[in-house]
Amino acid sequence: MRTTVHHVYEFTTRDGRTRRFEEADGPATVLEGDFVTVRYLAEQPHLATALPPSRARLAVGTGFGLAFLGVCIAFCSVFIVVAHVMFTEAGGLMP
């Protein structure tokens, strides 16, 4: 059995329009009438969220991105070294 906290939030955009959205898995400590921070892009207020950003997800994504760049740099470096060795052994002419 699982319990899901479900909240309905209402906020006013910078241009003065009132928006309402529903969100599951919100914090159980938020009660009706509480002020919360709503995050949204100005051009997409329908994608608003009141959930805080996940620092762990950001750290993991950054780690994978850096690892991918490291592998790409290592591959390119090995490729350049091997190509240089083959070029010099061939007397300056590529086969």
Side-chain angles (χ1 to χ4, degrees), residues 60-78:
V60 169
T62 301
F64 278 117
L66 289 174
F68 177 75
L69 287 175
V71 168
C72 290
I73 291 170
F75 175 78
C76 291
S77 299
V78 169

Side-chain angles (χ1 to χ4, degrees), residues 18-73:
T18 300
R19 294 289 199 153
R20 181 179 289 202
F21 68 97
E22 298 179 18
E23 194 164 59
D25 294 329
T29 57
V30 175
L31 302 174
E32 184 177 350
D34 286 351
F35 287 95
V36 296
T37 301
V38 176
R39 294 168 183 81
Y40 67 96
L41 296 174
E43 59 273 1
Q44 296 176 327
H46 60 281
L47 298 177
T49 183
L51 295 175
S54 173
R55 296 194 192 281
R57 181 180 290 170
L58 179 62
V60 169
T62 301
F64 278 117
L66 289 174
F68 177 75
L69 287 175
V71 168
C72 290
I73 291 170

Side-chain angles (χ1 to χ4, degrees), residues 6-7 12 17 23 30 32 38 42 53 63 65 70 74-75 81 85 87:
H6 181 84
H7 293 290
T12 304
R17 293 185 297 163
E23 194 164 59
V30 175
E32 184 177 350
V38 176
F75 175 78
V81 168
V85 169
F87 183 73

